[in-house]
Amino acid sequence: MDGSANPQIIEHISHSVDYSPFDVKWVPSSARFVSLGCHAKGTGAFQVFAMDDGKLNKIAETTKTEGIKCGTFGASLYEERHLATGDYKGRLNIWDLEKPEKPLFDCQGHSSMINCIDGIGGLNIGGGAPELVTGGHDGCVKVWDPRISEPVASLEPAPGQTKRDCWAVTFGNSYDDEERCVCAGYDNGDIKLLDLRMNKIRWETNIKNGIVGLQFDRKDIKMNKLVATSLESSFYLFDMRTMHPEEGYAYMTVKAHKSTVWHARHTPQNRDVFMTTGGNGTLNLYKYNYPSQRAIKDSTTGEARGVMGTANLLNSRKFSDQPIVAYDWHPDKNGLAVMACLDQTVKVGIVTKLNKV
């Protein structure tokens, strides 16, 4: 798909690496990003790149004992730029990018691989104290105060219950100093919404399809929209403003990529525009259009029921023959993004005309 009137998705820089990159994150308020992954021999890759005149310069590199699966700056202060990571052996670490040889924080977060991580309360995003959330191969979801080595909240399988691999976690609803929730997605299609203030499950559903990625359109507002990406070439978009007591949240299903949809990432500048990444190496850019009425009352029960709008595909572009497994928008430069592909490349992309969408 193309069209000169639509935003264009352009490859700006492509850089080969000697490992499988699993996550990429822009360093706050900079033209640098961190690439995390795993070498063929199982050691962890930790590299920092800087953009310079259309090229990428590697300005820092260190090798870790275990492969690194995920990372976030979400719980860090702007001036500190501390990166939290989860590795193949379940260790949760926090790193100072100026001295990445030794972690500032180190604990055994899970009994096996940490698949996913998110942060809140740092970078001036979200009310309340900085926190991290991790999801692991052990089926546990844990919330952390980055100052202490024990979780402050945990969602674990009940004794005798089959452990389901947690593949995705995200914070949301952090619009003041008290409210905050965590949403977790599992390999069997379960989605669970944990209210951290009440310390209870607020909502759960199952889409009968492994959940690969989750993201609220904004973390620091009352819950508005949630996108869940899945193994079977589709994503689910939930309207989180209106919860029906029996039907839950209204949602729509969109077929995409003809392969696994790895992630959905909303632009920091417009919460209704988001990019999805595919297992076939493509990027799809969408815009959500709200309905004229977001909720209607059931004529029989009087209960409010959510109403869905439409997700319009603005453009699509193939970047690789292998899955695009990570994508991060630059928080300050509208349309600038970095991505990681399993063909052992990291790429910088530009999306044009986003200010006109």
Side-chain angles (χ1 to χ4, degrees):
M1 182 176 180
D2 206 330
S4 59
N6 294 334
Q8 301 298 300
I9 308 172
I10 301 166
E11 181 178 304
H12 179 49
I13 306 171
S14 181
H15 184 86
S16 296
V17 294
D18 61 354
Y19 55 90
S20 296
F22 293 129
D23 208 355
V24 283
K25 288 289 184 292
W26 288 105
V27 178
S29 298
S30 78
R32 298 177 293 156
F33 66 86
V34 178
S35 176
L36 308 169
C38 184
H39 293 105
K41 58 184 177 181
T43 55
F46 187 119
Q47 295 181 335
V48 182
F49 292 94
M51 292 178 60
D52 181 22
D53 195 25
K55 298 181 295 183
L56 290 180
N57 291 332
K58 185 168 59 180
I59 59 175
E61 179 178 19
T62 181
T63 300
K64 304 304 177 186
T65 305
E66 305 296 338
I68 303 174
K69 196 70 168 62
C70 50
T72 181
F73 287 100
S76 171
L77 298 178
Y78 254 121
E79 56 272 21
E80 292 180 341
R81 302 174 178 178
H82 290 165
L83 177 69
T85 63
D87 73 17
Y88 274 46
K89 292 295 185 180
R91 299 205 70 82
L92 173 62
N93 295 126
I94 298 178
W95 309 91
D96 182 346
L97 296 187
E98 303 301 322
K99 302 175 182 177
E101 295 79 17
K102 185 177 180 180
L104 300 170
F105 175 90
D106 179 25
C107 77
Q108 187 66 45
H110 292 255
S111 60
S112 53
M113 183 190 295
I114 296 176
N115 292 318
C116 46
I117 191 170
D118 195 21
I120 192 72
L123 308 182
N124 301 325
I125 298 175
E131 287 183 324
L132 297 165
V133 60
T134 54
H137 179 65
D138 57 7
C140 298
V141 175
K142 298 184 180 183
V143 179
W144 306 85
D145 179 331
R147 298 168 297 181
I148 57 177
S149 58
E150 294 293 330
V152 297
S154 185
L155 180 62
E156 302 181 7
Q161 183 180 8
T162 302
K163 294 180 180 180
R164 307 305 315 196
D165 214 333
C166 179
W167 284 349
V169 289
T170 188
F171 279 111
N173 209 45
S174 185
Y175 60 89
D176 63 20
D177 289 345
E178 295 184 358
E179 294 290 341
R180 185 173 287 176
C181 69
V182 164
C183 194
Y186 298 81
D187 65 347
N188 66 338
D190 281 345
I191 301 176
K192 298 183 180 183
L193 184 67
L194 174 65
D195 187 317
L196 293 179
R197 183 174 66 86
M198 302 296 290
N199 196 28
K200 68 176 185 179
I201 299 294
R202 183 167 174 171
W203 165 73
E204 58 184 320
T205 189
N206 184 286
I207 65 168
K208 301 177 182 179
N209 217 307
I211 305 295
V212 187
L214 288 168
Q215 193 183 50
F216 288 99
D217 56 357
R218 287 289 183 272
K219 298 178 182 181
D220 55 351
I221 62 172
K222 291 183 179 181
M223 287 189 299
N224 186 51
K225 301 191 302 296
L226 172 72
V227 178
T229 60
S230 73
L231 286 175
E232 297 294 333
S233 65
S234 59
F235 65 86
Y236 295 71
L237 198 157
F238 295 85
D239 187 309
M240 305 297 288
R241 282 293 169 93
T242 306
M243 182 176 176
H244 190 276
E246 295 180 0
E247 300 174 10
Y249 295 106
Y251 71 93
M252 62 188 297
T253 306
V254 179
K255 289 288 186 181
H257 299 286
K258 298 181 179 178
S259 62
T260 297
V261 185
W262 279 85
H263 291 290
R265 292 290 180 257
H266 297 82
T267 68
Q269 294 78 19
N270 185 343
R271 70 185 185 187
D272 299 324
V273 176
F274 59 96
M275 187 76 79
T276 60
T277 73
N280 60 352
T282 58
L283 296 178
N284 284 5
L285 182 69
Y286 294 90
K287 182 181 181 184
Y288 183 75
N289 296 302
Y290 294 96
S292 58
Q293 189 176 2
R294 292 191 67 177
I296 57 174
K297 281 193 174 182
D298 189 298
S299 59
T300 304
T301 65
E303 297 285 354
R305 177 186 289 110
V307 177
M308 295 306 300
T310 58
N312 294 336
L313 179 64
L314 300 178
N315 220 326
S316 180
R317 170 79 188 273
K318 187 175 180 67
F319 275 78
S320 173
D321 292 327
Q322 296 294 319
I324 301 174
V325 295
Y327 190 92
D328 193 36
W329 293 104
H330 196 286
D332 305 316
K333 301 297 183 183
N334 193 11
L336 183 64
V338 62
M339 68 197 85
C341 308
L342 288 187
D343 60 1
Q344 295 193 336
T345 61
V346 291
K347 301 177 187 288
V348 176
I350 297 172
V351 183
T352 66
K353 304 179 184 177
L354 287 179
N355 60 328
K356 298 181 179 180
V357 174

